[in-house]
Amino acid sequence: MPGIQTFNGTVVKSIQVGSITIAATSDTNTAAIAAVDVNKAVCLFSGCIGGGPNATDILARIALTNSTTVTATRAGTNNNTIVGFTVLEFY
């Protein structure tokens, strides 16, 4: 969605929404995104769903690893977890 004007006058260059599935027995996974300038972008956590005996199996954190990769990481490795994210890039 290029050229979106926000309520406070700041211009957003792009918005990318996605999700990452972390498989059972794994503690991390990545998603490819269209290239952004990491100095002008933020990665927002949109929540996670999954199952497991412990919070560490469900709760995850996200990071904009580089200009084309978002990484989700968790402490546990039981059952699948789906982690949502939104990457905003500013002009």
Side-chain angles (χ1 to χ4, degrees):
M1 296 181 195
I4 295 174
Q5 187 78 24
T6 63
F7 69 93
N8 65 358
T10 303
V11 178
V12 175
K13 184 176 181 181
S14 68
I15 300 172
Q16 299 182 59
V17 178
S19 64
I20 300 170
T21 299
I22 305 174
T25 71
S26 181
D27 63 357
T28 190
N29 201 2
T30 61
I33 60 169
V36 296
D37 181 339
V38 296
N39 296 310
K40 297 180 180 181
V42 295
C43 187
L44 305 173
F45 176 76
S46 300
C48 53
I49 58 172
N54 304 305
T56 57
D57 297 319
I58 303 167
L59 300 177
R61 65 180 183 272
I62 56 163
L64 184 58
T65 313
N66 58 47
S67 65
T68 61
T69 307
V70 175
T71 301
T73 307
R74 65 178 176 173
T77 58
N78 292 303
N79 299 324
N80 294 342
T81 297
I82 301 170
V83 184
F85 67 88
T86 301
V87 175
L88 298 175
E89 182 184 19
F90 301 91
Y91 282 106

